[in-house]
Amino acid sequence: MKARRADFARLEHGIRAGERAVLARAITLIESKRVDHQTTARALVQDLLPSTGHAVRVGITGAPGVGKSTTIDALGTYLTGQGRKVAVLAVDPSSARTGGSILADKTRMARLAADENAFIRPSPSAGTLGGVAAKTRETMLACEAAGFDVILVETVGIGQSETAVADMTDFFLALMLPGAGDELQGLKKGLVELADMIAVNKADGDNLPRAKAAAAEYRAALHILTPRSPDWSPPVVTYSALTGDGIAGLWAQVIAHREKLTATGALAARRREQQVKWMWAMLDEVWRARIAAEPKLKAKLPQIEAAVAAGALTPARAVDELVAALGL
Ligand SMILES: Nc1nc2c(ncn2[C@@H]2O[C@H](COP(=O)(O)OP(=O)(O)OP(=O)(O)O)[C@@H](O)[C@H]2O)c(=O)[nH]1
Ligand SMILES: [Mg+2]
């Protein structure tokens, strides 16, 4: 017990001192499925909480090949050059891209991977989206306590993951390709409701005119849609992750957004809402898992599920029966 407490204190101290190896160990605990690890991780994050919250949290999404990794490398390096400490996290619950992928991506983030003021952590390996998102959130807090003041959270361009990342960040950035007339296809309604900025990448060389044209189309489309916040109309910018042109301008928008929403109180409100939403999401997960494992239901569940599948029992009646069986 004593040894464990000493170990815990070392973890906490090491994180606050910004020791990367200790931070990595804490994240391993956060991601562990072992109940004792989870208990320790929760206590740790709770203790660290007063040292969190100061970072600029940015979510980044975009279709495969749009240049997310190249952008994170360019933006992250720009930021460490400004004296910032940058942590890169990811939310990707799909099993096809477990663990290794963002690591393999490190070749596309070569500069940042070698940067001592940057910390790159792959997505927790496959699980439910809720589970993966919860772990990424706790990892984000641990990184903040370790002194990282910019957190970049990458996600694949899939609706639910995008919502999960928008729900844990202050600013949600949607990356787009310079296309040929079909730009609006990429502009899913749901995404526009989440995005705080649209950035058309690869605005370099022969692509430049197409990137500008795409940006103009996005601008026109955004004009008729309701933005995420009444305090902020999402700008549309062009940039090149490859040459670095426009990277500074991209960050300037993140800061402008921050200043504006801080002044109106909207940023603090967004964070408060996110925290409560997070609690409910976790409660949903815990209850679901408990219900599925509840001995009183174990025998009944397969039959009830089969009856619902066959259309013999309405879902509403099925829920009534299950709740009754639980004795709630
Ligand atoms: N011309 C040009 N090419 C770019 C730019 N940014 C990225 N690329 C290229 O686009 C390709 C995809 O870039 P990535 O950064 O791997 O894209 P990604 O979005 O991370 O891709 P996934 O991880 O597969 O989803 C690579 O060949 C990059 O070199 C840019 O600004 N200009
Ligand atoms: Mg990538």
Side-chain angles (χ1 to χ4, degrees):
M1 196 60 205
K2 224 172 167 184
R4 211 186 283 169
R5 221 174 298 147
D7 190 42
F8 188 87
R10 256 199 306 278
L11 264 178
E12 196 174 329
H13 184 266
I15 291 174
R16 285 221 168 87
E19 290 174 33
R20 308 167 67 97
V22 180
L23 175 62
R25 198 151 69 81
I27 297 173
T28 304
L29 281 180
I30 288 170
E31 292 179 353
S32 172
K33 291 194 168 62
R34 263 175 57 178
V35 175
D36 58 330
H37 287 170
Q38 285 186 7
T39 308
T40 308
R42 290 206 176 125
L44 184 65
V45 176
Q46 177 68 43
D47 278 10
L48 293 172
L49 206 56
S51 312
T52 68
H54 57 278
V56 184
R57 303 168 177 171
V58 179
I60 299 178
T61 188
V66 70
K68 293 180 293 298
S69 304
T70 313
T71 300
I72 289 169
D73 194 50
L75 179 61
T77 306
Y78 168 76
L79 291 169
T80 59
Q82 308 253 305
R84 297 270 200 174
K85 286 185 74 186
V86 179
V88 179
L89 312 177
V91 170
D92 181 3
S94 66
S95 54
R97 273 185 49 149
T98 47
S101 177
I102 232 195
L103 285 180
D105 257 13
K106 278 194 178 177
T107 55
R108 290 251 160 78
M109 295 192 253
R111 280 180 298 170
L112 208 56
D115 191 328
E116 61 175 25
N117 288 312
F119 179 82
I120 302 177
R121 183 82 186 185
S123 177
S125 55
T128 62
L129 174 60
V132 169
K135 287 175 195 303
T136 303
R137 279 198 196 93
E138 298 205 323
T139 296
M140 176 168 81
L141 297 180
C143 289
E144 290 183 356
F148 289 92
D149 57 4
V150 176
I151 314 283
L152 305 177
V153 188
E154 179 191 330
T155 182
V156 284
I158 298 171
Q160 282 183 319
S161 305
E162 286 176 336
T163 307
V165 171
D167 278 347
M168 69 176 83
T169 50
D170 305 324
F171 189 93
F172 195 62
L173 169 60
L175 305 185
M176 301 287 179
L177 286 169
D182 55 353
E183 282 76 30
L184 300 181
Q185 274 192 357
L187 203 61
K188 296 166 288 179
K189 186 169 177 292
L191 177 59
V192 174
E193 282 162 359
L194 297 178
D196 294 300
M197 171 159 73
I198 287 180
V200 181
N201 187 23
K202 309 197 184 183
D204 46 46
D206 292 347
N207 279 327
L208 196 56
R210 281 197 293 148
K212 298 268 180 220
E217 286 208 31
Y218 286 128
R219 242 171 245 131
L222 281 183
H223 205 66
I224 55 167
L225 292 162
T226 317
R228 183 180 179 194
S229 162
D231 300 323
W232 180 255
S233 304
V236 180
V237 301
T238 58
Y239 75 105
S240 167
L242 208 59
T243 66
D245 274 353
I247 287 286
L250 202 135
W251 186 251
Q253 292 288 356
V254 176
I255 295 304
H257 170 271
R258 190 163 200 81
E259 283 169 358
K260 190 142 191 210
L261 270 70
T262 299
T264 62
L267 187 67
R270 185 179 285 187
R271 287 212 175 164
R272 281 196 299 272
E273 281 162 25
Q274 288 175 340
Q275 274 150 211
V276 174
K277 209 167 163 182
W278 176 9
M279 179 193 80
W280 278 103
M282 288 193 81
L283 195 60
D284 285 348
E285 284 258 321
V286 167
W287 272 107
R288 222 193 124 90
R290 287 223 184 146
I291 288 170
E294 172 60 46
K296 283 184 233 158
L297 293 190
K298 269 223 151 120
K300 279 194 161 213
L301 263 174
Q303 287 152 265
I304 292 185
E305 246 184 39
V308 170
L313 184 63
T314 68
R317 282 293 298 275
V319 169
D320 285 346
E321 283 189 28
L322 292 169
V323 170
L326 277 168
L328 288 174

